[in-house]
Amino acid sequence: MLEVQQLHKAFGALEVLKGVSLTVEKGDVVAILGPSGSGKTTLLRCINFLEKADSGLLVFDGERFDLGQISRREVARLRKKTAFVFQNYNLFRNKTVLQNVTEGLTVARKTPRPEAEAKALRMLEKVGMADRKDCYPHQLSGGQQQRVAIARALATDPEIIYFDEPTSALDPELIGEVLAVMRQLAAEGMTMLVVTHEMGFAREVSSKVVFMEGGHVIEQGPSAEFFAHPREERTRAFLRRITHPEETPAVPSAD
């Protein structure tokens, strides 16, 4: 469904992505793991065109796109097939929950308002937020706001949803409600690419893991295999630091 080949991205002299390649099949839930600064979020932003890649190839539903030369028309067409859930929700503060979900439908997709509202209500019901449809974001918890953001993403009927650290801004007691919605979507076959530090979610829900470090993909493969038998020493060191931080000495840089 989605393939990225040799994606490069630099910010001035800082090379953040150094030839990243990965594949996503329809129905996959892909967890992108790695230490802070490894390029995970930049990768996600480049393949959804929130950042412009310097070079690379994107294959989506069999169509090939040069990421360094892609046109605005091609970007607009691809974005209609995808949705993005941000770590800080990105809701309109002056609009109600219902209006936040309908805005993209009525403005960007020209959906008639009655149809947009009916669809928005279905998506809010799906994430357990229909009863808060007339609330404003400041009246909601962080977990509730993120569930509204997921409803907004679902309302556009995306073929794939990109999640950028969807629980990182939440208090620990609120993380579970967002992960429960994502588990439900995974069970329904939604294709998802998820940058996350939630090892439980990656282990239990994702079908595939991509491990990044220093702007490179170090290892990728089925989640069960990744956690049970990681092939690369840097992957094993990362998993040791995550699972037993008090026992693991500092790992020298691969450089």
Side-chain angles (χ1 to χ4, degrees):
M1 180 177 185
L2 171 71
E3 183 177 359
V4 177
Q5 298 177 12
Q6 291 299 309
L7 194 158
H8 288 262
K9 174 64 180 178
F11 295 96
L14 178 63
E15 190 177 12
V16 178
L17 299 177
K18 306 172 183 179
V20 170
S21 300
L22 59 85
T23 58
V24 181
E25 303 293 341
K26 185 175 178 60
D28 272 352
V29 179
V30 180
I32 304 178
L33 307 180
S36 297
S38 58
K40 306 182 299 295
T41 289
T42 301
L43 168 64
L44 213 60
R45 291 176 66 86
C46 282
I47 61 179
N48 200 46
F49 313 108
L50 297 170
E51 298 283 355
K52 188 177 187 299
D54 297 326
S55 62
L57 179 70
L58 176 71
V59 182
F60 196 103
D61 280 349
E63 286 191 85
R64 299 166 69 87
F65 302 91
D66 182 341
L67 289 172
Q69 304 292 330
I70 194 164
S71 69
R72 289 185 179 183
R73 180 174 294 182
E74 289 172 326
V75 167
R77 184 157 57 85
L78 282 168
R79 278 185 172 163
K80 288 185 177 180
K81 300 181 179 183
T82 69
F84 200 102
V85 176
F86 298 85
Q87 57 181 288
N88 291 315
Y89 332 129
N90 280 26
L91 300 179
F92 295 110
R93 311 302 296 180
N94 63 335
K95 295 185 182 296
T96 66
V97 164
L98 183 62
Q99 290 169 336
N100 264 281
V101 180
T102 59
E103 188 78 4
L105 298 175
T106 57
V107 175
R109 305 198 177 206
K110 310 303 181 187
T111 305
R113 185 163 297 279
E115 181 182 336
E117 290 186 351
K119 188 170 195 178
L121 285 170
R122 291 198 301 273
M123 296 305 105
L124 288 168
E125 183 70 38
K126 189 179 189 72
V127 302
M129 289 298 295
D131 62 332
R132 309 304 298 272
K133 66 182 178 64
D134 296 320
C135 294
Y136 288 87
H138 73 271
Q139 297 173 303
L140 305 177
S141 70
Q144 290 172 328
Q145 290 185 64
Q146 193 62 292
R147 284 189 280 156
V148 173
I150 294 172
R152 178 179 60 187
L154 291 171
T156 64
D157 294 323
E159 294 182 30
I160 184 170
I161 302 180
Y162 304 120
F163 291 84
D164 181 20
E165 293 281 10
T167 61
S168 67
L170 301 180
D171 293 332
E173 65 270 19
L174 302 177
I175 290 173
E177 64 189 64
V178 173
L179 293 181
V181 171
M182 296 175 68
R183 287 187 178 93
Q184 175 188 345
L185 296 179
E188 294 171 357
M190 173 60 71
T191 308
M192 298 186 282
L193 192 56
V194 186
V195 171
T196 184
H197 284 106
E198 292 292 336
M199 291 300 109
F201 175 85
R203 186 189 296 268
E204 299 161 20
V205 182
S206 70
S207 56
K208 181 177 180 180
V209 169
V210 174
F211 173 62
M212 292 182 63
E213 187 178 82
H216 297 280
V217 171
I218 304 302
E219 185 169 345
Q220 59 182 307
S223 299
E225 180 181 322
F226 175 88
F227 284 104
H229 305 290
R231 298 187 301 273
E232 302 294 330
E233 175 53 35
R234 279 185 283 179
T235 307
R236 293 192 287 271
F238 171 77
L239 292 175
R240 285 197 298 271
R241 290 199 301 272
I242 292 296
T243 55
H244 302 290
E246 73 288 349
E247 301 175 5
T248 307
V251 177
S253 168
D255 298 334

